Amino acid sequence: MSNLDAALATLVDPSLAPIVEMALVRRDGAYEAHAVDGSVRFRRHDPDGGPDGPGPARGWTFTVESVDGRNPLGDQSLDRFAGLDAELAHRFPDRTANAYPFAYEQVAQLFDHPNAPDVCVVHTAAHHWADQGGHIGEHGSLGAVQCRAPFLISGPGARADGVVGGVAAQMVDIAPTVLALLGRDPSVLEGADGRPIEGVLDRAAIDAGEGPEHVVGFLLDGCNPNVLLDAVAAGDAPNIAGLLARGTALRDGIVSSLPTVTLPNHTTVITGRHPGHHGILHNAWWDRSRREQVITNSPETWATAMDALLPGTDSIHLAVQRTEPGAFTASVNEPADHGASFSTFDLMRRGVRMVDFPRTADGLPHSSEMFVRPVKDYALFTQVDHHGTEQAVGIISGSYLGTEYPMPRFLWVNYALTDSAFHEGGPHSEIARASIRDTDGRIGEVLAALERRGVRERTTVFLCADHGMEESDPAVGGDWSPALAAAGLDVRDEAFGFLYIDP
Ligand SMILES: [Zn+2]
């Protein structure tokens, strides 16, 4: 038995079934998913690059070669557990109850990366990373709740349909959608895996030249869309409610790319490419040729994370500037800042001192005091997000830290508080709800700045997250590493679940 087969046999052993949903591999040009109760082997066909070409995912088709037992990826329903009631009624869903939207595409794109793992372990919905400093709220898997991020859009060129279901949308679709809004041919974006989300676009208005002059995007890291839409309906997010009243939100959300974690998907939003195609494979991974660990998602490496992009990777910023010489774009508090004219992390790379960073969260506007005081991370990300708001408001107003800026054609604002709070208490906690209230207040400040600048009516605003967030079960802990070691295997596990065998 090969070491790969030995690893798979270990991972699908019934003893690990509570924590291992499935294990994914690429073998002999085909893809396999293995679970305790069955497996599937499938093949990709690419109309552009021939069979199994790594080209853009648009137009990929898949054929199932064999199924043994239950197909672990057989249920790809988009609307599973959509809506807060459905999610609360199915906490810790079993593998036979869960769904995996776009599963075949999710698997295939991952293994296009030159440093893709030998095995990608997908953890169960319930799995709690207790031994790894885990949290109540978790994400990272292919399951419906963990991959589902919110998407809401409002303004010229966008439909005003309220909350709509049945729209199939992926994180890779956001960048082409932004370009379509701005009247660009989305195909100017090199290598994009996605396409414009027609279900949210007002094509007649765009074609008539009545689309927006500016697009502002907000990312609420780790914000569960069921919880966000419930907060909007309950009056906890009046500014976002105001956007929705004149816009469209997707009930089934937008499907983030595997691995459904932070930096790969921030980069996916900006590039329109899956992680396997833009290069930011995970928050950490193993570089086989250089024989070293790559860590992109840490305070020490955020500013230089984009060095790991695959050559030739495009972005919204670059495409906007290419199609409109001199166009100004801005990226606030966002490590995935590839090509932005203004970027917070570019200031940091150049050693500019952030003299306006608040010394303390105490007394800052839009900060829930009951969590700022006792929860260290809540205080820290309140400071970070307040600082992001100050930057966005400054740029929109025309001046920040003594430098003058034009109104950005595309402005991107990354908010981190929601992720921290949703991890801390889980998506259904009071701290998560407070983080939505606080972030909504900050979004209100940015919208007010657009109003003062006189561009509010000519600006389309959208809001998304980078991945979902699911409540884990603290009773379902543990790790697969001891079992792999007991089987005599030499395995490197990067970022929990990317296995490199005999590294
Ligand atoms: Zn995140």
Side-chain angles (χ1 to χ4, degrees):
M1 196 193 285
S2 72
N3 285 349
L4 179 62
D5 283 315
L8 289 174
T10 302
L11 290 164
V12 301
D13 187 86
S15 63
L16 288 181
I19 63 171
V20 175
E21 188 102 321
M22 65 184 88
L24 310 169
V25 298
R26 177 179 172 176
R27 183 146 56 172
D28 305 325
Y31 307 92
E32 300 171 5
H34 296 261
V36 67
D37 56 353
S39 65
V40 62
R41 179 177 165 88
F42 60 97
R43 196 170 287 276
R44 171 177 66 185
H45 308 279
D46 179 356
D48 301 323
D52 198 33
R58 299 184 306 264
W60 280 356
T61 56
F62 297 91
T63 49
V64 172
E65 291 192 341
S66 62
V67 177
D68 184 13
R70 192 184 66 90
N71 178 352
L73 300 175
D75 192 337
Q76 302 188 9
S77 308
L78 192 67
D79 61 351
R80 186 67 41 81
F81 315 133
L84 189 59
D85 291 345
E87 183 179 330
L88 289 173
H90 299 90
R91 288 158 128 176
F92 323 131
D94 179 71
R95 58 175 58 72
T96 58
N98 216 335
Y100 313 93
F102 301 100
Y104 295 148
E105 179 175 333
Q106 292 273 42
V107 176
Q109 60 81 18
L110 182 80
F111 287 100
D112 284 335
H113 193 291
N115 289 311
D118 296 308
V119 183
C120 172
V121 183
V122 177
H123 60 258
T124 57
H127 185 223
H128 183 80
W129 300 98
D131 303 331
Q132 295 83 10
H135 303 97
I136 296 296
E138 279 303 346
H139 57 91
S141 86
L142 278 174
V145 177
Q146 300 201 12
C147 74
R148 178 182 288 130
F151 188 77
L152 184 155
I153 188 164
S154 181
R159 298 177 65 90
D161 294 343
V163 179
V164 297
V167 176
Q170 295 172 271
M171 203 66 76
V172 291
D173 297 330
I174 291 180
T177 302
V178 170
L179 290 167
L181 276 169
L182 288 169
R184 276 35 168 209
D185 180 346
S187 68
V188 300
L189 193 67
E190 299 272 346
D193 287 306
R195 59 188 86 198
I197 309 167
E198 295 299 337
V200 303
L201 292 178
D202 181 350
R203 272 287 170 190
I206 294 171
D207 292 346
E210 293 163 5
E213 288 179 24
H214 312 279
V215 172
V216 175
F218 295 100
L219 186 143
L220 278 59
D221 201 299
C223 186
N224 171 315
N226 288 338
V227 174
L228 179 67
L229 290 177
D230 185 72
V232 168
D236 283 333
N239 292 297
I240 299 172
L243 293 171
L244 179 57
R246 298 193 301 164
T248 300
L250 300 183
R251 182 203 62 192
D252 305 333
I254 192 156
V255 177
S256 57
S257 298
L258 183 69
T260 60
V261 299
T262 295
L263 203 58
N265 278 286
H266 281 241
T267 311
T268 289
V269 173
I270 293 301
T271 64
R273 296 186 187 198
H274 285 301
H277 295 168
H278 59 55
I280 310 298
L281 184 61
H282 205 317
N283 291 332
W285 67 89
W286 178 250
D287 186 317
R288 287 192 181 83
S289 55
R290 285 155 55 196
R291 301 187 58 77
E292 65 182 32
Q293 186 188 40
V294 181
I295 299 176
T296 48
N297 194 39
S298 80
E300 294 72 35
T301 57
W302 280 329
T304 54
M306 291 302 106
D307 290 352
L309 282 174
L310 292 171
T313 299
D314 203 357
S315 73
I316 297 175
H317 299 287
L318 292 171
V320 166
Q321 294 160 21
R322 207 162 54 232
T323 48
E324 181 190 348
F328 174 71
T329 68
S331 177
V332 170
N333 279 3
E334 172 57 72
D337 60 352
H338 184 47
S341 320
F342 168 94
S343 161
T344 313
F345 281 92
D346 180 55
L347 296 183
M348 289 163 64
R349 286 190 291 269
R350 291 193 282 118
V352 175
R353 278 196 60 221
M354 296 294 187
V355 292
D356 59 334
F357 191 88
R359 288 160 177 268
T360 169
D362 284 337
L364 292 178
H366 316 297
S367 61
S368 293
E369 207 172 296
M370 65 181 294
F371 296 115
V372 164
R373 288 277 160 82
V375 184
K376 198 164 133 271
D377 274 357
Y378 201 97
L380 171 63
F381 290 111
T382 291
Q383 292 165 269
V384 169
D385 286 359
H386 172 84
H387 185 228
T389 304
E390 294 281 291
Q391 294 171 62
V393 167
I395 288 168
I396 292 169
S397 306
S399 171
Y400 173 66
L401 284 187
T403 302
E404 294 192 358
Y405 296 102
M407 177 64 203
R409 190 66 71 213
F410 173 60
L411 168 63
W412 177 246
V413 185
N414 172 30
Y415 284 131
L417 178 69
T418 39
D419 186 74
S420 165
F422 275 70
H423 272 304
E424 174 79 22
H428 312 302
S429 61
E430 190 46 46
I431 191 173
R433 193 58 70 116
S435 74
I436 290 178
R437 276 195 297 270
D438 291 357
T439 305
D440 180 82
R442 297 190 181 103
I443 288 173
E445 300 282 356
V446 177
L447 298 179
L450 292 170
E451 199 81 56
R452 288 194 300 275
R453 179 82 185 235
V455 296
R456 181 76 182 83
E457 297 304 316
R458 291 177 280 141
T459 302
T460 293
V461 174
F462 75 91
L463 181 159
C464 64
D466 50 346
H467 46 73
M469 189 71 78
E470 187 163 29
E471 183 181 354
S472 70
D473 181 354
V476 183
D479 185 6
W480 38 79
S481 294
L484 292 165
L489 294 162
D490 178 15
V491 174
R492 232 193 128 85
D493 186 347
E494 291 291 348
F496 309 127
F498 268 29
L499 306 187
Y500 298 82
I501 298 173
D502 302 324

